[in-house]
Amino acid sequence: MTAVPSTRPAPAGPAAGATAPAAGAARQAWRRLRRRPAALAAAGVLALLVLLALAAPLLAHLVGQDPNAFHDDLVDSARGGVPVGSFGGASAEHWLGVEPGTGRDLFTRLLYGARVSLLVALGATVVQVLVGIAAGLTAALGNRFVDAVVGGATDVMIALPGLVLGIALTAVVPADFPRPLLLVLIIGLLGWGGTARVVRAQTLSLRGLDFVEAARLSGRGRLAVARRELLPSLAAPVITYAAILLPANMVTEASLSFLGIGVKPPTPSWGQMLSGAQTWFLADPAYVLLPAGLLFVTVLAFTVLGDAVRAALDPREAGRLRVGTRKARTRTARTTPKGAGA
């Protein structure tokens, strides 16, 4: 619960009053999160993946491989381009094998593909959150006409088939436009409706509370009230919803690239690699399983971490999860005085 800010005229009063409770709530959420081994494991997997993606140029230099360099001698042209050797041509030089048909190093292409997939998903999530916060606050703090207009636009954006519209938009955009940026804009600008609904509902429940009314009566404008009073209280639900959007955006980017309208060659992407691997499943299963496995593990880790963050930021949710457990019943029995239930 957010503390009621001081109404004294000192400019630093309300902000200082909100800082201590926010810091305490953050520490409590971190303690709850640390008690979840699955969340810590998911965070470790994601941290490792992000580190590998950021260090992709350095790792490619260390292994001496260029992700776009063709190696015709590593594929069997008589068999249609199947990699020479076992496990997709894995060797000391090519740790995970080579790409069928081209002989490009699969390890470095997976690393660079992680950069593209994570960057597009993160960028689209940021766009969705920013546009959704702006739309939700505008609808909740505006008059009935503004609320109706923004609410109608939000309903339209939610009802639109995002994947179909994304396919249409990517088809009409000039080919020289940067595809990662295009995917960020398309996914982000077509998917902000859910965030706007969450922000609007939370703002409507917050604007009647005492600390918001006190800020309005002190003479602050709507923008100042939203920035200093409402946004800190909206952080928890927005972060929780963003954690759900991230894996969904990764799947959307992979789907668009799989359909051939996402990231264009030679830029690698996990979805693009899966699109090219569908004809090589029987001849080279590793070329299919590696990007598919990485995409599955990444989405699963984001989902597990997002669920843990949601429970950590909502103490009531954490309490509901403990209800009925043996540990909770034992703790209740020890702390309840004898004869209290009589």
Side-chain angles (χ1 to χ4, degrees), residues 77-243:
S77 58
R79 299 173 56 197
V82 178
V84 177
S86 304
F87 304 104
S91 62
E93 292 80 15
H94 305 279
W95 296 351
L96 299 180
V98 296
E99 188 179 60
T102 63
R104 292 182 291 193
D105 183 71
L106 195 55
F107 173 70
T108 55
R109 289 189 65 78
L110 286 172
L111 291 180
Y112 277 89
R115 290 166 65 97
V116 174
S117 298
L118 291 174
L119 180 62
V120 170
L122 181 60
T125 303
V126 171
V127 173
Q128 290 171 339
V129 168
L130 293 179
V131 177
I133 289 176
L137 287 176
T138 301
L141 299 179
N143 54 32
R144 291 185 178 181
F145 176 76
V146 173
D147 189 13
V149 171
V150 178
T154 302
D155 294 339
V156 170
M157 297 306 299
I158 293 176
L160 285 176
L163 187 60
V164 176
L165 193 57
I167 294 173
L169 291 175
T170 53
V172 300
V173 173
D176 57 347
F177 193 88
R179 284 288 161 161
L181 178 59
L182 177 62
L183 292 177
V184 168
L185 295 177
I186 288 178
I187 298 174
L189 294 178
L190 292 179
W192 54 266
T195 308
R197 275 190 173 180
V198 171
V199 171
R200 178 184 178 275
Q202 293 291 327
T203 304
L204 289 176
S205 64
L206 289 172
R207 70 178 186 179
L209 298 182
D210 293 341
F211 72 99
V212 179
E213 291 294 335
R216 294 175 59 184
L217 293 175
S218 65
R220 295 180 188 171
R222 293 183 179 180
L223 184 60
V225 171
R227 179 174 58 87
R228 302 191 64 178
E229 307 297 340
L230 294 176
L231 284 180
S233 300
L234 291 172
V238 169
I239 291 174
T240 301
Y241 195 71

Side-chain angles (χ1 to χ4, degrees), residues 214-276:
R216 294 175 59 184
L217 293 175
S218 65
R220 295 180 188 171
R222 293 183 179 180
L223 184 60
V225 171
R227 179 174 58 87
R228 302 191 64 178
E229 307 297 340
L230 294 176
L231 284 180
S233 300
L234 291 172
V238 169
I239 291 174
T240 301
Y241 195 71
I244 300 174
L245 290 175
L246 253 172
N249 291 337
M250 287 198 69
V251 174
T252 302
E253 183 276 328
S255 302
L256 292 174
S257 298
F258 179 82
L259 295 174
I261 55 177
V263 177
K264 296 296 183 182
T267 303
S269 167
W270 289 348
Q272 178 202 102
M273 296 174 72
L274 286 173
S275 177

